[in-house]
Amino acid sequence: MVGLGNDFADAPEYVGCNDLGTAVLLAAMAEAGVRSLALAGSMVVYGEGRYDCPRHGTVRPGPRTVADLDAGRFEPHCPGCGAELAPGLVAEEAPTDPRNVYAATKLAQEHLTAAWARATGGSAVSLRYHNVYGPGMPRDTPYAGVASFFRSALARGEAPRVFEDGCQRRDFVHVRDVAAANALALEAVKGRGPGSFAVYNTGSGDPRTIGEMASALASAHGGPAPKVTGEYRLGDVRHVTADSRRLRDELGWNPQEGFAKGMAEFATAPLRGMRPDTGSSPARSGEDPSGY
């Protein structure tokens, strides 16, 4: 289960699906003698991305406060001097700092996988995906990423609702590029030593804002322009984009799908749960996935 869901009441289901489910899988692998694994990890384990203060250098701001968010103060500031911060790229060595239930479950998956590797002599890698998008994303569910939210809204003839001011920075990486990274990782992990576990950031290397993504989708779809709402979700982070050079240098991965082309394709691609004959979704509960 991905995203923030509806509210904290979803926490047991997130932990059950993501962490207990992973533990069950790893136990079955141990019994069956499977010794190689590529884990679908996530950049959410970092929490906020990298920030640099002109006075204090690289700093790690704490969680944003309700008071600041209510006042429209979305940017984190230096915890030492309060100065504005410049966002940068996060490397794999950065400390992990999950800021919501989903992020906590993704970090737990990595810890479980590392424990499995040590206990069984297996080898594993975790590909810390950025914001994956592309054909086949689920439609009309709160348990998905922002690209799915916006694409679902456009399929309903509605404007994508962009939270905060739309300037949140993310790295949107196409599902085909992620599939290629998985194929490389599965081959590479077989040659690693017993008990090994490594992590790789998996992003396009072309950071964009949420507002840019919503506008690109709406324009390519021919739907209504995005609406910037100023709303927020407390578990969201402001900026998180990562450096994926390690994956490129060590495994030879080279993403092929550019932002403009990928969004143009996604704007008209079928979504999971959409009837291909009508372009509409089957009848289901009234879950509201709008916003980010």
Side-chain angles (χ1 to χ4, degrees):
M1 295 176 65
V2 304
L4 293 186
N6 286 316
D7 53 41
F8 199 83
D10 288 328
E13 192 171 5
Y14 268 83
V15 173
C17 288
N18 295 353
D19 296 338
L20 178 59
T22 298
V24 170
L25 172 64
L26 293 171
M29 289 169 56
E31 185 175 354
V34 177
R35 294 294 180 264
S36 300
L37 175 66
L39 176 68
S42 175
M43 55 80 191
V44 296
V45 300
Y46 296 118
E48 287 284 354
R50 171 178 172 153
Y51 292 90
D52 292 308
C53 169
R55 178 179 176 185
H56 294 102
T58 300
V59 297
R60 294 188 61 79
R64 297 180 294 172
T65 67
V66 171
D68 280 342
L69 294 168
D70 282 343
R73 295 187 294 267
F74 301 123
E75 293 289 344
H77 288 79
C78 176
C81 66
E84 291 187 7
L85 300 174
L89 300 180
V90 183
E92 287 89 349
E93 294 79 15
T96 53
D97 185 17
R99 302 252 172 124
N100 55 58
V101 171
Y102 170 60
T105 67
K106 295 304 292 183
L107 184 56
Q109 281 186 321
E110 291 193 353
H111 290 320
L112 289 167
T113 298
W116 163 85
R118 289 192 298 270
T120 65
S123 58
V125 298
S126 176
L127 298 179
R128 289 177 173 170
Y129 301 164
H130 277 258
N131 290 66
V132 183
Y133 74 96
M137 292 193 81
R139 175 174 177 176
D140 290 343
T141 171
Y143 306 103
V146 65
S148 176
F149 293 178
F150 291 167
R151 178 66 180 83
S152 295
L154 289 166
R156 299 191 301 269
E158 301 172 4
R161 293 172 57 82
V162 180
F163 277 22
E164 301 186 21
D165 58 1
C167 294
Q168 311 93 302
R169 286 164 51 90
R170 298 291 188 271
D171 185 323
F172 299 98
V173 58
H174 197 280
V175 65
R176 283 194 290 269
D177 287 328
V178 171
N182 276 277
L184 289 169
L186 285 167
E187 289 301 315
V189 73
K190 297 174 185 177
R192 294 183 179 274
S196 63
F197 177 71
V199 299
Y200 293 95
N201 292 329
T202 308
S204 70
D206 183 20
R208 301 281 180 150
T209 68
I210 297 293
E212 284 181 286
M213 190 270 283
S215 295
L217 270 184
S219 176
H221 190 274
K227 179 181 179 182
V228 178
T229 69
E231 298 169 90
Y232 65 86
R233 299 194 303 181
L234 196 57
D236 277 332
V237 297
R238 180 61 173 174
H239 305 294
V240 57
T241 57
D243 187 340
S244 300
R245 283 181 295 179
R246 177 184 292 179
L247 183 57
R248 292 172 170 82
D249 293 346
E250 295 187 11
L251 301 191
W253 180 65
N254 185 25
Q256 300 295 311
E257 304 293 336
F259 177 82
K261 179 183 174 183
M263 288 297 168
E265 176 198 25
F266 180 51
T268 57
L271 300 176
R272 200 183 325 150
M274 178 183 291
R275 291 199 298 262
D277 56 333
T278 65
S280 63
S281 59
R284 56 176 298 158
S285 63
E287 295 168 341
D288 178 12
S290 60
Y292 174 72

